[in-house]
Amino acid sequence: MTVIKAQNAVKEYVRKGETVYALRGVDLEIKAGEFTAIVGPSGSGKSTFLRLAGCLDTLTGGTLLVDGEDTGTLKSGELDILHRKKISFIFQNLKLNPELSAEENITHPLSLLGMSRKEIKERCTSALADVGLERKAKCLPGEMTASQRQRLAIARALAKVRRAKKPVIILADEPTSHQGSAMGREILKLMLELNKTEGATFVFSTHDRKIMDNARRIIYMRDGQIESDELK
């Protein structure tokens, strides 16, 4: 089953009167249950593709389908709903609400999905424990280290996955960049487990060799195009 399908995907921006192409005619399919790494130098289009696949931005040209829905035909509110129901996004800049505690940063998005209070509490408690933050539940992001804030962002995304309706798509932009080697390995182990037990689809934008070594597919991008696409 294909969960993400890009055909001749183009994304351009205008900066200082000049057109800059972030994606240049990308064709790419991601199947349900993949554990895929998108790699390449800074500015290659990795993060742009994730944002488009996550319904956080729209194409300039071409088509992009997420779980069979053509994102180019959806209004802003419809894209928000698709993102909320189908996608967990781990942002490189985290996107945590500084005025909410760690547990509130997790429970608030879950409340928008119509879950019961009991299930929200269970998912939040489990997710915080998964990333070693159970003692930080009442802390604000500003009271946490950079590593802890990144783990909180990961916990927020993972909380949507367990027992979720399929398909579940996790898009992760440099998810281990602030982690030491030991915690990075633990987070990767958790993601591999969720990929296996929950069938969650993982697509990473990364420079982390540990993620690349464990990915079953590596897509190399440069200058907004796919240079290679390799299955292990």
Side-chain angles (χ1 to χ4, degrees), residues 66-78:
V66 175
D67 193 27
E69 294 199 52
D70 186 347
T71 59
T73 67
L74 301 179
K75 297 178 181 179
S76 176
E78 294 170 325

Side-chain angles (χ1 to χ4, degrees), residues 6-232:
Q7 293 181 297
N8 195 31
V10 176
K11 181 63 180 179
E12 62 184 49
Y13 302 94
V14 177
R15 295 176 182 168
K16 297 181 180 180
E18 295 186 3
T19 300
V20 177
Y21 286 90
L23 293 184
R24 301 170 181 265
V26 168
D27 294 314
L28 179 59
E29 287 191 38
I30 303 292
K31 303 288 187 181
E34 284 195 27
F35 201 86
T36 292
I38 303 178
V39 303
S42 297
S44 61
K46 306 186 304 295
S47 296
T48 297
F49 180 80
L50 286 195
R51 287 186 58 80
L52 291 163
C55 303
L56 299 171
D57 204 348
T58 55
L59 289 173
T60 307
T63 59
L64 178 65
L65 278 64
V66 175
D67 193 27
E69 294 199 52
D70 186 347
T71 59
T73 67
L74 301 179
K75 297 178 181 179
S76 176
E78 294 170 325
L79 285 171
D80 290 342
I81 292 171
L82 181 58
H83 171 89
R84 192 183 307 154
K85 289 184 175 180
K86 299 291 184 180
I87 296 163
S88 286
F89 204 112
I90 302 171
F91 296 90
Q92 188 173 13
N93 60 357
L94 306 185
K95 298 281 188 179
L96 298 172
N97 188 324
E99 297 181 356
L100 299 181
S101 67
E103 64 180 3
E104 289 169 338
N105 265 283
I106 295 174
T107 59
H108 177 66
L110 296 180
S111 68
L112 300 177
L113 298 175
M115 296 179 190
S116 68
R117 289 185 178 180
K118 179 181 178 182
E119 182 171 9
I120 290 173
K121 180 63 176 177
E122 288 175 351
R123 288 195 184 206
C124 178
T125 300
S126 177
L128 287 172
D130 282 339
V131 298
L133 290 179
E134 53 267 64
R135 295 185 178 181
K136 297 291 184 178
K138 303 299 182 182
C139 292
L140 296 174
E143 299 170 329
M144 304 166 75
T145 67
S147 171
Q148 290 168 342
R149 288 193 294 271
Q150 187 175 45
R151 279 183 272 153
L152 174 57
I154 291 169
R156 179 181 58 187
L158 299 183
K160 290 176 65 176
V161 175
R162 295 194 185 279
R163 303 188 305 275
K165 293 181 180 179
K166 305 298 186 292
V168 174
I169 305 165
I170 296 183
L171 305 175
D173 195 2
E174 299 288 357
T176 56
S177 58
H178 294 297
Q179 303 304 318
S181 57
M183 181 53 66
R185 284 193 297 270
E186 287 301 310
I187 289 171
L188 178 58
K189 181 180 177 181
L190 173 61
M191 291 177 172
L192 286 165
E193 175 195 343
L194 291 171
N195 174 251
K196 180 178 179 180
T197 60
E198 303 284 349
T201 304
F202 282 84
V203 184
F204 300 89
S205 165
T206 187
H207 292 94
D208 190 333
R209 176 53 60 181
K210 295 187 297 297
I211 292 176
M212 287 185 260
D213 288 344
N214 283 273
R216 293 186 287 276
R217 180 183 181 189
I218 295 182
I219 298 165
Y220 191 88
M221 294 188 71
R222 184 184 293 274
D223 296 330
Q225 296 178 309
I226 294 174
E227 282 199 343
S228 64
D229 186 347
E230 301 175 0
L231 290 174
K232 291 185 177 181

